């Protein structure tokens, strides 16, 4: 029997057309899209399947990715009853993972991450927030540079540990831009500002924490079918109280994705990614274990054939 670990992508995995094959070929997927549209008064068929500006706005990006991930997960589990060893997600994906454990209804999760996006957007209004991807520097060097620059008054923090030599930093956009020569001098192959207007996983989002905790209290259940690996600690949790604390901290703490995969690698034979393939790409740099992505009906059937 395969020991599996379920993984769920975060922001950056969105693209127009995602989930359309599920919607066109599954009455369950169609129903989930329609109910999500009613829940937050957003036409997900337009958001997901037609060219639009909203899909890149965090309050819409987040529910769109989560919904497609949970459709893929539901279609898989309708046929395959295997339970994963644990689940984990990248940033937003941790909320998809929580819902996959049974700790949150998928419609509550759709509304929760929509509100999370609005809270993040509000926290970053008027502070010129942004994020920058760095390639070719090790974690310690990035931490050393950002720490030194914070002592000089700049607002820059490590935000996502995606793999060896692949890290994202967050903060004030002008401060990030000003560090580009320093990173290049230190040996970075690339230092690229990302097209984002929020600064995720850093203290600039602290004003959003209390409200997010309120939503978590409202919609989370103390009913976890399996453990969730925390982005904050790279360790497992399995209760509502832990989830509330850790997901609030996740707003202002870096995503330890690389560390999480290394922590769970020995306990699994394979990873299954639901609704995207970005994590499959990251995992190739981190783990020797295979990752299979479910993004449409064909890939769903291919993964089901493994069981």
């Amino acid at each position: 029997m395969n020991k599996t670990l379920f993984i769920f992508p975060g922001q950056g995995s969105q693209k127009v057309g995602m989930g359309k094959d599920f919607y066109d070929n599954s009455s369950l997927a169609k129903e989930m899209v329609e109910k999500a549209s009613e829940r937050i008064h957003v036409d997900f068929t337009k958001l997901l399947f037609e060219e639009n500006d909203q899909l890149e706005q965090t309050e819409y990006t987040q529910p769109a990715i989560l919904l497609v991930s949970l459709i893929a997960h539901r279609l898989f589990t309708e046929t395959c009853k295997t339970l994963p060893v644990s689940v984990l997600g990248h940033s937003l994906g941790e909320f998809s993972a929580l819902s996959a454990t049974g700790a949150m209804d998928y419609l509550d999760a759709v509304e929760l991450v929509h509100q999370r996006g609005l809270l993040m957007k509000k926290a970053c209004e008027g502070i010129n927030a942004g994020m920058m991807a760095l390639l070719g520097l090790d974690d310690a060097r990035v931490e050393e540079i950002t720490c030194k620059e914070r002592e000089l008054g700049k607002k820059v923090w490590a935000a996502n540990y995606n793999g060896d030599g692949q890290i994202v930093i967050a903060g004030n956009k002008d401060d990030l831009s000003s560090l580009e020569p320093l990173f290049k001098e230190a040996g970075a192959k690339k230092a690229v500002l990302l097209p984002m207007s929020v600064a995720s996983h850093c203290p600039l989002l602290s004003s959003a924490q209390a409200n997010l905790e309120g939503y978590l209290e409202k919609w989370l259940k103390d009913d976890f079918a399996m453990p969730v690996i925390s982005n904050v600690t790279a360790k497992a949790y399995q209760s509502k109280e832990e989830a509330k604390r850790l997901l609030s901290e996740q707003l202002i703490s870096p995503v330890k994705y690389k560390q999480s995969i290394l922590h769970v690698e020995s306990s699994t034979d394979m990873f299954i990614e639901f609704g995207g393939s970005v994590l499959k790409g990251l995992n190739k740099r981190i783990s020797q274990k295979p990752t299979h992505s479910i993004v449409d009906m064909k890939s769903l059937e291919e993964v089901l054939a493994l069981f």
Side-chain angles (χ1 to χ4, degrees), residues 108-128:
D108 291 342
V110 165
E111 184 168 353
L112 173 62
V113 300
H114 176 56
Q115 293 297 334
R116 179 178 181 261
L118 290 169
L119 291 171
M120 290 168 67
K121 184 177 179 179
K122 185 178 180 184
C124 289
E125 279 175 358
I127 59 173
N128 195 27

Side-chain angles (χ1 to χ4, degrees), residues 17-26 29 49 295-298:
M18 65 181 186
K20 189 163 195 317
D21 194 51
F22 296 141
Y23 183 85
D24 289 343
N25 293 286
S26 163
F49 311 145
V295 295
D296 53 23
M297 298 304 281
K298 182 174 182 286

Side-chain angles (χ1 to χ4, degrees), residues 29-292:
K30 199 166 191 175
E31 180 189 338
M32 289 178 73
V33 168
E34 287 167 358
K35 285 186 174 178
S37 297
E38 290 170 16
R39 178 64 180 260
I40 64 168
H41 310 293
V42 168
D43 187 339
F44 275 96
T45 59
K46 289 184 177 175
L47 181 64
L48 293 169
F49 311 145
E50 298 177 13
E51 290 292 339
N52 65 87
D53 296 330
Q54 287 188 318
L55 191 57
E56 297 300 323
Q57 296 171 29
T58 191
E59 68 268 33
Y60 299 110
T61 313
Q62 295 193 39
I65 293 168
L66 176 134
L67 178 60
V68 173
S69 288
L70 292 179
I71 287 170
H73 174 260
R74 182 83 176 273
L75 291 174
F76 176 81
T77 55
E78 287 284 301
T79 302
C80 183
K81 301 304 179 187
T82 187
L83 286 176
V85 178
S86 55
V87 296
L88 73 89
H90 188 292
S91 185
L92 157 75
E94 191 170 341
F95 292 82
S96 307
L98 264 174
S99 187
T101 71
M104 193 168 15
D105 177 79
Y106 85 92
L107 289 174
D108 291 342
V110 165
E111 184 168 353
L112 173 62
V113 300
H114 176 56
Q115 293 297 334
R116 179 178 181 261
L118 290 169
L119 291 171
M120 290 168 67
K121 184 177 179 179
K122 185 178 180 184
C124 289
E125 279 175 358
I127 59 173
N128 195 27
M131 302 186 79
M132 174 182 272
L134 298 175
L135 293 179
L137 285 181
D138 65 43
D139 300 345
R141 191 76 180 99
V142 174
E143 288 160 4
E144 180 190 342
I145 292 170
T146 53
C147 181
K148 187 176 177 183
E149 292 303 311
R150 281 198 304 278
E151 289 170 1
L152 297 172
K154 294 195 174 174
K155 292 178 176 162
V156 289
W157 295 267
N160 296 342
Y161 294 95
N162 289 334
D164 288 340
Q166 189 172 346
I167 191 168
V168 177
I169 59 173
N172 175 277
K173 207 172 276 187
D174 291 336
D175 290 347
L176 294 171
S177 294
S178 74
L179 297 192
E180 189 178 337
L182 271 180
F183 289 128
K184 293 282 180 69
E185 191 181 311
K189 294 173 187 171
K190 273 188 179 179
V192 184
L193 273 176
L194 300 172
M196 297 181 72
S197 57
V198 295
S200 300
H201 308 295
C202 76
L204 295 181
L205 292 185
S206 59
S207 63
Q209 286 181 284
N211 284 328
L212 181 65
E213 278 193 46
Y215 290 126
L216 288 163
E217 174 61 36
K218 179 180 179 181
W219 286 314
L220 264 178
K221 296 175 279 191
D222 220 337
D223 186 18
F224 292 66
M226 71 283 299
V228 182
I229 307 300
S230 165
N231 281 183
V232 175
T233 64
K235 294 176 183 173
Y237 64 92
Q238 203 166 351
S239 74
K240 177 176 177 175
E241 284 308 309
E242 288 174 293
K244 277 172 53 186
R245 176 176 61 80
L246 289 166
L247 288 165
S248 171
E249 284 183 29
Q250 194 223 57
L251 276 174
I252 62 166
S253 305
V255 171
K256 294 179 178 174
Y257 183 75
K258 174 182 72 172
Q259 295 90 330
S260 297
I261 293 295
L262 292 172
H263 176 72
V264 299
E265 184 183 31
S266 63
S267 65
T268 187
D269 298 320
M270 72 168 81
F271 299 95
I272 301 177
E273 179 179 7
F274 293 93
S277 56
V278 169
L279 300 184
K280 182 178 181 177
L282 294 183
N283 282 6
K284 283 178 182 174
R285 300 168 66 97
I286 305 168
S287 173
Q288 298 297 310
K289 303 289 174 70
T291 300
H292 303 281

